Amino acid sequence: MLPALLPSEPVLLPVQARYAGGAGAGGREGEHAITANNRWSRVLLSFRGLPPGSWCCLEARLAWAPEEAGNQALDFALA
């Protein structure tokens, strides 16, 4: 688990999510679902207010749906 951000650090949430390859909104706010066994499934998140040349931290979690047969297989996220 990542350490909590300092209170002075701004938190920027995505202003838009675009889906492809069968991906879609997840069951909860801020959650995105990538379909099982589809290497072309993806979500593109757009942010507003990111200053050019600055360092940012993207916090994300990767989890498998309970019905996913390959939930023990290695998987990845590309940012």
Side-chain angles (χ1 to χ4, degrees):
M1 175 153 250
L2 295 173
L5 292 175
L6 298 174
S8 62
E9 298 298 323
V11 175
L12 302 174
L13 298 175
V15 294
Q16 181 183 30
R18 293 190 336 219
Y19 303 104
R28 294 180 283 194
E29 185 179 354
E31 193 172 81
H32 308 281
I34 307 298
T35 56
N37 302 320
N38 186 343
R39 66 183 181 154
W40 305 113
S41 184
R42 63 191 171 278
V43 59
L44 174 67
L45 302 174
S46 298
F47 294 86
R48 185 177 300 130
L50 290 176
S54 64
W55 283 88
C56 297
C57 174
L58 176 66
E59 188 174 319
R61 218 171 8 141
L62 183 64
W64 290 263
E67 66 275 5
E68 170 63 56
N71 63 5
Q72 297 300 312
L74 294 178
D75 216 332
F76 73 96
L78 177 65

